[in-house]
Amino acid sequence: MVNFGDLQTEIYLAGLSGVVPSLPMSFADLERRAEQALPPGTWSYVAGGAGDEHTQRSNRTAFDHWGLVPRMLRARTDRDLSVELFGTTFPTPVFLAPIGVIGICTQDGHGDLATARASAATGVPMVASTLSQDPLEDVASELGETPGFFQLYCPTDPEVAASLVQRAEAAGYRGIVVTLDTWVTGWRPRDLATSNFPQLRGRCLATYFSDPVFRSRLEKSPEDDPGTAILTWATMFGRPLVWDDLAWLRSLTTLPMVVKGVCHPDDARRAVDEGIDGIYVSTHGGRQANGGLAAIDCLAEVAAAVPDVPVLFDSGVRSGSDVVKALALGATAVGIGRPYAYGAALAGTAGVVHVLRTILAEADLLMAVDGYPTIADLGPDAIRRT
C-alpha cells in the first residue's frame, strides 16, 4: 500500500537533484500567491465572507481549540484512509466542496473542468456546483472513474429544478447535495464595495443556459439575448426551502440526497426522518451568515444525532490536521474549499492535485505519528477540547 505521506520522501529525494516544489507547501503561502494571480474582483469574491467576516475567521481559528490525543505503541507502516460513502469506497476521506465560481478561478476560465480532472487524477470526489462555467455534463465527462456529486441551488421554478436534477442523474453523478442556506445571498461587504456579483455579469451560468427547461422560459436564446437570460436567472435563483419541500425534492430522484448547511442536531434528525440520506454540516465557509458558531464546533453534536447516516463537513479546513480533527469529531468525509480554489488559480488541474496531495500527506503522517492507522481508529476519545 502506498501511503499519502510518501509525498514528503518524494519531495526530499527530488531536492537531492536541486528540484524544489514550484507550488506553495503552506496555506499562508498558497493564499498569498493566489491573491497575486487572481483578478481583484475574483479574489475578493473567493476570499471574502459575510459581514466583518467574524464567522469566516472563527471557522478557521476554532480548529485551534481542538487537540488530538497521541496514542503510542500502535505504529503501522501502512495506513488506510479509505471511507465508504453511499455504498462506494473512496481511497481518501476528503472531497472537493462545491465552489460556485471555481470556473473563473483558473487562468483559462474553465476551473470546473480543471477540478474534475484533478478529481479523476486523485480519486477524490468532486461536488460540482450548479453555478458552473461549463455545463454539468461537460464537468461529469472529466471525472473519469471517480464518482462525482451534483450540488443544487434550488431555483424557484420547480420544473427547472427537476430538469437540473434529472440532467445530473443522466450525466452519471452519484448523489445530489442540496444547499439550504443560499436562497438569498448574505451581506458581503467586499463584493458590495466593488459592485461585483459574477453571475449578474453572466459568469458561471452555463448549466442554466444549457438547460432546455430554462431556455424554454426565454423568448430568445442566451446566446442571442444574454441580458434577458441573466435577469431571468436572477429572478429564478433561490427557492426559500421549508420542511414541506423535502418530500418534493426527494421525489425528483432515486439518487442519494444530502442537505447542506445543517448545524443543529434537531434539524439533522428531522431531515433524516423526512427521507434525506446524508447530512452536510457547513456554514458556507462564513460567506452567508456572520456572527454564528464555527462549523467544527457544531459537528460532534450533529454527528451523534444521526449515527446511521453519512455526515459530510466543510468550513475552515486548511490542512491535514484539520481533516483528522473533523474525522475524530464525527465527519464521514471532509470537504476542501478555498485551498483548492487557490491551487486552481496558480496551476489549474496540477494546482488542485498539489493541494489535495499535500493535505492528504499531512493527514496521513499525523495519523501515523499519533497512533491512528485507520480512520476507524479515530473517535471521540482521540480528540479533546483545549
Side-chain angles (χ1 to χ4, degrees), residues 25 29 119 196 217 244 249 303 320 327 366:
M25 297 303 299
D29 289 340
S119 176
N196 178 45
R217 301 322 194 227
D244 288 345
L249 284 166
L327 293 169
L366 176 61

Side-chain angles (χ1 to χ4, degrees), residues 14 35 43 51-52 65 111 117 140 149 164 166 170 180 190 193 224 240 247 283 294 314 338-339 349 359 376 380:
E35 182 176 8
W43 167 256
D52 68 358
H65 61 238
R117 291 170 187 141
F149 299 84
L164 294 175
Q166 290 157 11
L180 303 178
R190 289 205 213 191
D224 292 332
T283 59
D314 75 18
R338 285 182 177 90
T349 296
I359 288 175

Side-chain angles (χ1 to χ4, degrees), residues 48-61:
D52 68 358
E53 301 181 352
H54 169 80
T55 298
Q56 179 171 301
R57 291 189 299 274
S58 294
N59 276 330
R60 170 58 252 145
T61 58

Side-chain angles (χ1 to χ4, degrees), residues 265-277:
D266 288 349
D267 292 345
R269 279 187 284 262
R270 182 169 178 181
V272 172
D273 289 344
E274 297 280 352
I276 295 302
D277 304 290

Side-chain angles (χ1 to χ4, degrees), residues 159-170:
E159 293 181 359
V160 174
S163 180
L164 294 175
V165 171
Q166 290 157 11
R167 286 173 62 195
E169 186 166 356

Side-chain angles (χ1 to χ4, degrees), residues 147-181:
F149 299 84
F150 179 72
Q151 174 264 341
L152 178 70
Y153 284 124
C154 191
T156 56
D157 187 321
E159 293 181 359
V160 174
S163 180
L164 294 175
V165 171
Q166 290 157 11
R167 286 173 62 195
E169 186 166 356
Y173 291 97
R174 301 289 186 86
I176 305 297
V177 177
V178 181
T179 295
L180 303 178
D181 64 1

Side-chain angles (χ1 to χ4, degrees), residues 57-66 294-297 325 385:
R57 291 189 299 274
S58 294
N59 276 330
R60 170 58 252 145
T61 58
F63 280 92
D64 296 337
H65 61 238
W66 291 101
I296 192 67
D297 290 339
K325 290 177 182 180
R385 191 177 180 94

